[in-house]
Amino acid sequence: MHFISDVISQLFEWIQSLGYFGIMIGLMIEVIPSEIVLAFGGYLVSQGDINFFGAVLFGTVGGVIAQIFVYWIGRYGGRPVLEKYGKYIFISKKHIDHSEEWFQKYGTGVIFTARFIPVVRHAISVPAGISRMPLGKFTMLTTLAVIPWSALFVYLGYTLGDKWKTIDEVAAKYTHEILLGAIAVIILYFLFKWYKSKKKGSAV
């Protein structure tokens, strides 16, 4: 455990030394959960090492690239590769099962809303790649979701300052509200699709 703690500490020192690019690369490789990297970025903002908008920008770029990477694995490696190696990027078989279920049920629009929901948030890129969803659409929806997520955790890290390591307990109430909002959007999206298909059926 002490060794792991030392390695994590060195990773944060490395991120700090690289500034914006450290945040971006930290999110791309996902050795540390994205929320913690972003909160650390907020802490660096509070220290005056970087500015808020730069941290959100590079955090967004890193987060989107990480998901495109998972998308490509899903597209060219398929589910077997993710089941075998997904653990290295925090994606388990359970995550893949749930994300595929959501993707099949709600369609491509779920790429945006699922980013705010635990369990499926990271793995939703897998079925998008397997189904060969257009990369442009995937990237746009992912970016729209990653921007507010990055801004929230950078802001929370900024307000916490030296206490940024308590991000999990502080962010809980915000993520709960976001979760409810995301579920509401999914329901509205599902109702819209149902209404649209019903209207199309009655017009035939």
Side-chain angles (χ1 to χ4, degrees), residues 6-162:
D6 287 344
V7 170
I8 297 297
S9 296
Q10 289 176 7
L11 282 172
F12 280 121
E13 289 177 7
W14 176 72
I15 289 173
Q16 184 172 10
S17 68
L18 293 178
Y20 298 113
F21 288 99
I23 295 172
M24 183 180 74
I25 296 171
L27 289 166
M28 285 170 57
I29 60 178
E30 287 197 285
V31 174
I32 305 170
S34 60
E35 296 89 342
I36 297 177
V37 174
L38 290 168
F40 182 66
Y43 162 72
L44 295 181
V45 173
S46 72
Q47 298 300 299
D49 295 343
I50 56 178
N51 68 61
F52 178 83
F53 293 104
V56 173
L57 174 62
F58 280 80
T60 298
V61 172
V64 172
I65 291 176
Q67 292 306 312
I68 290 176
F69 174 68
V70 177
Y71 167 92
W72 282 116
I73 295 177
R75 182 161 182 164
Y76 293 105
R79 180 172 177 133
V81 172
L82 266 303
E83 287 186 355
K84 187 174 182 179
Y85 300 105
K87 60 184 178 181
Y88 298 110
I89 50 175
F90 305 106
I91 295 177
S92 68
K93 183 179 181 297
K94 181 181 72 174
H95 296 152
I96 299 172
D97 289 339
H98 282 292
S99 63
E100 285 190 337
E101 182 181 336
W102 277 59
F103 193 84
Q104 291 169 8
K105 187 174 182 180
Y106 300 110
T108 57
V110 79
I111 292 298
F112 172 80
T113 50
R115 297 294 178 197
F116 306 105
I117 298 174
V119 181
V120 298
R121 189 162 65 83
H122 291 297
I124 196 64
S125 302
V126 177
I130 292 174
S131 66
R132 296 183 176 274
M133 176 182 177
L135 180 59
K137 184 176 182 179
F138 170 83
T139 303
M140 179 190 71
L141 291 171
T142 299
T143 302
L144 290 174
V146 171
I147 289 172
W149 190 260
S150 298
L152 171 63
F153 280 92
V154 170
Y155 172 75
L156 292 176
Y158 168 75
T159 57
L160 288 170
D162 292 334

